[in-house]
Amino acid sequence: MEASARLFQRDLMGKLSKRFPTGFLGLDPFPGTFGRIRFDPAIALELFREIRDVHAFEHLAMVAGIDWVERREVLYTVWSDVHRGYLLLSAMLPAERPHIETATTVWPSANWHERETWELVDITFDHHPDLRNLLLPTGYQFHPLLRSFKLHEPEELEVKVRHV
Amino acid sequence: MSEMWINMGPQHPMTHGLWNLRVRIDGELVLEVDPEMGYLHRGIEKISEDRHYNEVITLMDRTCYVAGMAWENLFILGAEQALHVEPPERAKWIRTLSEEFQRIGSHVMWYAAFVQDIGLMAPFLYGMRDRDLVLDLFQSYTGARMTYEYNRVGGVRNDLPPGFIDRARKVCDWLLDRFQEYDDLCLGSDIFRKRCDGLGVLKAADCVRAGITGPMLRSAGVKRDVRKDRPYNAYDQVEFDVAVADGADVTARYLVRMEELRQSVRIIRQCLDWLERNPGPAMAENLPRWMGAPYAPVGKEGYLLKRNYPKGVGLSAIEEPHGEALAYVVNEGGEHPYRVKLKSPIFTNLSAAKHYLVGYRVADIPPIMGSVDVCVGEVDR
Amino acid sequence: MSTVTLYSVANGLIVAILTGLYSVLPHAYFGWLVNPDLILVLSVLVFGAILLAASMINTIMLIWYERKLLGRFMDRRGAMHVGYAGLLQNFADGIKLFRKNTYKPRDADGLGFYAAPTAYMVTSVMIFAILPASWGWTAGPLPLSLLLALVVFSFAPLFIFLSAWSQANKYSLIGGMRSAAQMIAYEVPILLAVVAVVIVSGTFDLTTIVTMQTNYWFGIPLFVALIVFVTGMLAEMERIPFDLPEAEAELVEGWNTEYGGMLFAFFMLSDYLRALIGSFLVVLLFLGGWTMPGWVPSSLTALPLAALFWFLLKTYIVFGVFVWVRASLPRVRTDQLLRIGWMRMVPLSLLAIVLAALLVLAKCLPVLGCLPGVGG
């Protein structure tokens, strides 16, 4: 299993770097999966199509947004019934007006995931069919999962620190 | 009568939680649906960023209140991967056992709510009665009935109490008999078959496209189960079959869940055998003191313990009672996880609501939504 | 024939009170007390009061009976805490509902909102004056009592729809429409099943129908009609499996969603009153009413209220069957319900009529030979 996974990983890396000479930024190992693909948001849609149609990752399991303060990461987790494993697709977006092409045209299940990411992490998904608030009230102005959104004031945490 | 919108929720017997299904109907025919979520959004992912890993477990119990143990397992797998901790073998088996008990608890609860939705009164109470046995077992080794706080980074809080295994075996025997009774009450009833056959059909290709997982997907004949495809805990060492059906309708979902209940009993029996034969520690040895402590000593005696964590990131996937659940835990070396992302199976199952609700009647909505098994806690998080 | 009738009880009570008053008070002022007209008016009032109280207490006991029975079916014990075995639980519930504020949603239509539950309740109670519960245990000789009872019984959809419409609530409206459709659809097989009974008995008078069943029950030769009638009654009573007008899973509480307090209690009580009436009718028409079988010792049958007790016993057993059905069957869907009603129940009831007619024609049947009034 481990060897075949590594083989598949190398194969995937070769194919993708040939297909996307500029946008494909690499495939990092990630424990328990086929790895994490880093890609440029400019090629998002073609990459999604390629991943789904050519490499048979037909199930989009999760879309996650992560705020790295100076950048935002959007992370797609896809599953393949053929290869029986997860693959992560990660794109780094600028913190100023982060936006990426929607995946709903490729994986319809991305719909709610992207709505949630949009309202919680403030990442805009271009051409999304229905980008409304999902979990938060309509018109809510904050994005709670940004690091700048504090749950309480810092002075409440003032306690003595002991090293262990 | 002209078309009209009705709000099924947020306070409505069909919802089994707090959400709003907006339905456009013409007479009794459903033309359009629009689920509105967020009534139970507690910001669990955000609060997790402010807590120690062992404290996040408290939140995981509340994520899905009928499957707390499964969510604990999910998070703890991701956290252990992010923190580079390996639990002992016995803890893995206890987690497997707990998760299967949780699956029984959740599925039996689903059965009770589902039959109530189609008007069967007595089996509702039967379901609640049998779930109580499972909750009693949980109480005997975790101390709580619904919010367990039992898993810890590096293992489980305490080992099984003496006499537990015999008790659990008795409960298993009793439950198998009751599952037969459930089937007699539902499948043996013509009205049940009339109500549920061919209802809420979502074929395999549509299911995969819509991202549907869990019993709903397997009811369409797709044999995908995280426990088999990507084994975690001790699932690679137990024998069980993945329950599938081909109807893709409400009856098929019922059949899949009933078969899963039986398979859960099968797994539990294997777990009990293994646990009886292999005593050992239930918590990883030589962990840093703070990591394996029964409680996190944050703020104790006015001190905040400064820890040096290795950086890491973890992705865990489990087959929760409702489907495939994912947790993505980012550890940046601080006191708390940098980011916790949870993916609930019901979240995607609900987002496809229009595919399995439109075209049926108002009276069909409760059985169809019942067969989806909505738990709003984990959708809104 | 037993001499104790409900009216004679009321009459005797009034006469005793008035005579007592007359004997202690001076004749000059209270001579008008023992006036036959006054006695008649007061007797009728007391008769009505007794009937109302009896039907209400019976209904409340019926609810208790259903709760206990349902509890047993569900592997629990039902109400246990107020009174012995929870006997007073429903009285406590009733007092609670009495004390509640009744309120009206802003957009609801006032007249319909208040008038509908009242009218529903009144028409339901009215039937108790028509149905005989024992010898003379009725308002008086009514040659068409069966017809009258069924007519009053079928007022219900009107009031339900009135209340549903006036509530200005979409769930109520859907429930009201379902209810109207269902009740009208099931009225037909019920009436046809009753026609079968009428063909065999040759009368609309319930007392005569019961008298004819002294030797055997109509339910035995008219088995098909009995089945149709019981099924139709389940639908008329809006009980599971035909309780879709108030299917709480999808319609919250159906056509009485917006009601609270005493107005809700009116609907709730009327539902059980109608359940009681349905069980009454089943017993009267098919299960021999208050006639007791021959093996009951005459020392028991001679007791003053033995016939009434026997009748109530049968009624409760019939209602127990309804509860049993409720505990074990799921709910059908509207279209399925209507299809069952029009495509299954109506042909079956027509079949029942044909069977009844054949039975009457073939008067040589030994079982019919002993039936007075059949075939001349």
Side-chain angles (χ1 to χ4, degrees):
Chain A
M1 174 62 205
E2 195 57 40
S4 66
R6 222 172 296 132
L7 207 65
F8 173 75
Q9 212 168 317
R10 202 171 309 139
D11 179 48
L12 188 69
M13 193 142 100
K15 277 183 181 156
L16 285 178
S17 51
K18 198 181 287 172
R19 171 78 173 74
F20 302 104
T22 53
F24 177 69
L25 303 178
L27 199 158
D28 308 336
F30 193 100
T33 69
F34 289 127
R36 179 167 62 178
I37 292 176
R38 285 178 290 112
F39 66 99
D40 183 19
I43 61 156
L45 198 58
E46 293 95 82
L47 181 77
F48 296 155
R49 288 236 168 84
E50 180 84 4
I51 291 287
R52 187 195 67 178
D53 297 338
V54 180
H55 302 288
F57 285 88
E58 67 278 343
H59 171 56
L60 177 79
M62 175 170 85
V63 178
I66 302 164
D67 178 24
W68 295 106
V69 185
E70 65 274 14
R71 287 173 307 171
R72 306 244 166 99
E73 182 182 357
V74 56
L75 184 83
Y76 300 82
T77 309
V78 289
W79 167 267
S80 166
D81 273 342
V82 180
H83 308 299
R84 302 273 153 186
Y86 288 107
L87 181 68
L88 302 178
L89 315 172
S90 143
M92 282 295 178
L93 311 175
E96 283 288 308
R97 284 196 67 255
H99 67 100
I100 189 169
E101 184 66 32
T102 177
T104 45
T105 45
V106 183
W107 293 291
S109 57
N111 190 331
W112 278 24
H113 288 295
E114 293 187 347
R115 277 171 73 181
E116 188 200 327
T117 312
W118 170 70
E119 67 178 352
L120 293 178
V121 198
D122 191 21
I123 293 171
T124 309
F125 292 90
D126 303 332
H127 307 111
H128 189 284
D130 186 25
L131 208 56
R132 299 179 278 142
N133 279 100
L134 179 70
L135 299 178
L136 302 176
T138 310
Y140 193 70
Q141 293 177 2
F142 306 99
H143 303 284
L145 279 181
L146 294 184
R147 301 303 289 185
S148 54
F149 187 94
K150 291 279 181 241
L151 283 185
H152 39 63
E153 295 302 312
E155 55 263 23
E156 286 177 31
L157 283 175
E158 269 183 27
V159 282
K160 281 185 282 181
V161 169
R162 188 176 73 187
H163 286 271
V164 286
Chain B
M1 191 169 65
S2 61
E3 293 171 10
M4 62 183 179
W5 280 96
I6 55 174
N7 285 307
M8 284 197 160
Q11 303 272 352
H12 190 282
M14 179 276 295
T15 55
H16 299 307
L18 276 177
W19 62 291
N20 185 2
L21 180 69
R22 303 190 66 233
V23 192
R24 188 158 65 88
I25 56 170
D26 179 9
E28 291 254 343
L29 200 68
V30 176
L31 301 176
E32 194 181 335
V33 294
D34 176 23
E36 270 185 13
M37 311 309 298
Y39 293 88
L40 214 57
H41 180 58
R42 294 148 293 173
I44 282 179
E45 291 174 5
K46 182 67 184 176
I47 305 171
S48 304
E49 293 176 7
D50 239 5
R51 290 185 170 220
H52 180 248
Y53 290 91
N54 279 346
E55 290 175 314
V56 176
I57 295 160
T58 314
L59 299 171
M60 289 307 132
D61 283 324
R62 274 93 181 156
T63 304
C64 179
Y65 29 79
V66 292
M69 194 56 96
W71 282 87
E72 273 185 29
N73 279 349
L74 171 69
F75 173 75
I76 216 70
L77 285 170
E80 279 168 354
Q81 195 182 338
L83 292 168
H84 314 286
V85 174
E86 182 68 18
E89 195 69 358
R90 190 171 170 84
K92 289 183 180 177
W93 281 87
I94 292 180
R95 283 179 189 171
T96 311
L97 175 84
S98 311
E99 190 178 327
E100 289 310 313
F101 268 130
Q102 189 65 81
R103 194 180 313 280
I104 292 181
S106 174
H107 278 7
V108 169
M109 177 74 214
W110 160 81
Y111 173 82
F114 171 66
V115 294
Q116 175 82 339
D117 280 346
I118 57 169
L120 262 172
M121 294 185 74
F124 169 71
L125 268 290
Y126 297 169
M128 298 306 270
R129 173 194 69 194
D130 300 337
R131 176 170 171 260
D132 237 43
L133 295 174
V134 177
L135 295 189
D136 284 346
L137 282 181
F138 273 129
Q139 191 180 5
S140 72
Y141 74 97
T142 70
R145 295 170 73 81
M146 288 181 79
T147 48
Y148 315 102
E149 289 142 44
Y150 181 61
N151 286 294
R152 290 290 181 272
V153 175
V156 293
R157 190 182 60 203
N158 54 278
D159 209 332
L160 301 173
F164 174 84
I165 289 179
D166 291 337
R167 227 176 120 196
R169 285 211 174 102
K170 267 187 206 135
V171 170
C172 285
D173 296 342
W174 159 270
L175 283 174
L176 273 188
D177 285 354
R178 296 287 80 74
F179 297 157
Q180 188 55 44
E181 189 182 65
Y182 294 176
D183 271 356
D184 293 346
L185 275 162
C186 284
L187 300 179
S189 161
D190 278 353
I191 300 181
F192 180 90
R193 298 306 294 258
K194 265 211 170 92
R195 280 300 300 275
C196 297
D197 282 359
L199 200 63
V201 175
L202 199 57
K203 292 285 181 212
D206 299 330
C207 278
V208 172
R209 265 176 63 78
I212 280 169
T213 52
M216 245 182 120
L217 177 71
R218 291 193 284 277
S219 79
V222 180
K223 207 166 179 174
R224 188 198 293 164
D225 190 324
V226 183
R227 290 176 293 172
K228 267 270 192 269
D229 299 336
R230 191 176 178 274
Y232 52 96
N233 286 343
Y235 280 110
D236 48 350
Q237 299 169 58
V238 293
E239 275 181 24
F240 68 100
D241 300 327
V242 178
V244 282
D246 350 298
D249 58 358
V250 174
T251 317
R253 283 166 213 155
Y254 172 89
L255 290 171
V256 166
R257 286 206 175 86
M258 288 325 262
E259 182 56 30
E260 280 188 13
L261 281 173
R262 297 193 168 95
Q263 295 297 333
S264 287
V265 172
R266 195 172 152 199
I267 297 173
I268 286 171
R269 282 179 169 160
Q270 295 173 47
C271 288
L272 291 173
D273 289 346
W274 192 94
L275 288 167
E276 201 173 30
R277 277 186 276 108
N278 299 281
M283 178 66 92
E285 313 278 348
N286 59 45
L287 276 181
R289 192 169 62 82
W290 48 267
M291 236 181 207
Y295 50 87
V298 175
K300 196 185 177 193
E301 300 152 6
Y303 289 102
L304 185 69
L305 301 178
K306 188 71 186 170
R307 293 141 186 165
N308 299 311
Y309 287 64
K311 285 191 182 188
V313 56
L315 173 80
S316 61
I318 68 162
E319 187 71 22
E320 204 227 352
H322 312 100
E324 167 211 51
L326 270 76
Y328 187 73
V329 183
V330 183
N331 162 27
E332 278 295 292
E335 296 285 323
H336 315 126
Y338 184 83
R339 171 88 165 92
V340 176
K341 164 72 189 173
L342 303 170
K343 181 259 175 179
S344 146
I346 309 174
F347 187 81
T348 30
N349 289 6
L350 260 187
S351 71
K354 65 170 183 286
H355 297 302
Y356 48 80
L357 280 179
V358 171
Y360 296 98
R361 284 159 205 283
V362 175
D364 293 334
I365 294 177
I368 297 176
M369 291 319 297
S371 74
V372 176
D373 192 7
V374 179
C375 171
V376 187
E378 60 169 80
V379 180
D380 288 354
R381 298 184 300 277
Chain C
M1 183 188 280
S2 164
T3 49
V4 184
T5 69
L6 183 55
Y7 183 76
S8 75
V9 168
N11 195 39
L13 201 67
I14 289 301
V15 167
I17 291 171
L18 291 187
T19 322
L21 278 177
Y22 176 70
S23 61
V24 281
L25 294 170
H27 177 247
Y29 300 105
F30 294 95
W32 52 270
L33 267 179
V34 267
N35 176 342
D37 293 340
L38 182 68
I39 289 176
L40 180 72
V41 169
L42 287 179
S43 305
V44 168
L45 282 179
V46 170
F47 167 80
I50 293 176
L51 206 63
L52 185 67
S55 59
M56 281 302 147
I57 289 172
N58 240 314
T59 310
I60 287 175
M61 292 319 293
L62 200 69
I63 300 175
W64 173 82
Y65 173 63
E66 169 162 29
R67 289 170 83 158
K68 296 302 275 187
L69 210 54
L70 221 45
R72 289 293 162 184
F73 281 123
M74 291 176 180
D75 217 353
R76 59 193 174 89
R77 291 200 286 181
M80 282 303 286
H81 290 290
V82 189
Y84 175 73
L87 264 173
L88 297 179
Q89 178 67 51
N90 290 312
F91 291 96
D93 290 350
I95 290 167
K96 185 199 79 175
L97 285 174
F98 248 125
R99 290 184 67 248
K100 273 190 167 179
N101 224 344
T102 52
Y103 63 90
K104 178 176 86 67
R106 195 188 56 213
D107 295 338
D109 177 67
L111 183 63
F113 189 80
Y114 289 115
T118 319
Y120 190 49
M121 180 86 170
V122 167
T123 48
S124 303
V125 175
M126 221 165 107
I127 306 175
F128 280 95
I130 303 165
L131 296 181
S134 172
W135 293 115
W137 206 257
T138 174
L142 283 169
L144 293 178
S145 54
L146 174 57
L147 204 58
L148 184 59
L150 287 172
V151 166
V152 179
F153 197 70
S154 60
F155 281 163
L158 178 67
F159 300 129
I160 288 176
F161 196 64
L162 186 65
S163 80
W165 208 348
S166 60
Q167 283 170 54
N169 179 321
K170 290 166 182 170
Y171 290 119
S172 306
L173 189 58
I174 299 175
M177 288 197 305
R178 282 185 184 183
S179 175
Q182 163 178 346
M183 287 197 167
I184 290 168
Y186 276 75
E187 213 104 88
V188 178
I190 283 188
L191 287 176
L192 290 177
V194 167
V195 166
V197 175
V198 172
I199 287 176
V200 172
S201 65
T203 174
F204 275 110
D205 186 8
L206 281 167
T207 314
T208 320
I209 290 177
V210 171
T211 321
M212 285 177 172
Q213 302 181 58
T214 314
N215 293 325
Y216 67 94
W217 295 351
F218 282 170
I220 297 162
L222 300 179
F223 186 71
V224 182
L226 173 64
I227 296 289
V228 172
F229 191 81
V230 168
T231 317
M233 268 300 158
L234 271 177
E236 288 285 306
M237 293 190 280
E238 295 185 354
R239 299 178 66 81
I240 284 177
F242 301 131
D243 74 331
L244 13 105
E246 46 192 305
E248 77 276 353
E250 67 245 31
L251 296 184
V252 191
E253 194 46 50
W255 44 268
N256 48 27
T257 301
E258 295 288 353
Y259 284 97
M262 209 50 211
L263 290 174
F264 169 73
F266 272 15
F267 275 128
M268 167 96 183
L269 272 178
S270 311
D271 276 350
Y272 278 91
L273 279 171
R274 288 168 66 80
L276 191 58
I277 291 163
S279 317
F280 266 22
L281 279 173
V282 172
V283 174
L284 286 172
L285 294 176
F286 295 100
L287 302 182
W290 55 84
T291 58
M292 279 184 263
W295 47 262
V296 181
S298 57
S299 57
L300 280 181
T301 51
L303 290 173
L305 292 176
L308 185 65
F309 176 77
W310 188 249
F311 178 71
L312 284 180
L313 188 68
K314 278 185 187 173
T315 310
Y316 274 66
I317 290 172
V318 168
F319 186 72
V321 174
F322 288 145
V323 175
W324 187 6
V325 170
R326 182 181 179 191
S328 47
L329 286 184
R331 180 185 300 128
V332 299
R333 217 168 48 203
T334 320
D335 53 329
Q336 293 168 345
L337 173 97
L338 293 180
R339 197 174 305 132
I340 296 170
W342 291 111
M343 318 266 286
R344 298 283 180 277
M345 287 295 128
V346 172
L348 259 184
S349 54
L350 291 173
L351 177 71
I353 291 183
V354 172
L355 285 179
L358 285 177
L359 282 176
V360 174
L361 285 176
K363 47 193 160 191
C364 52
L365 272 178
V367 74
L368 281 170
C370 50
L371 187 64
V374 171

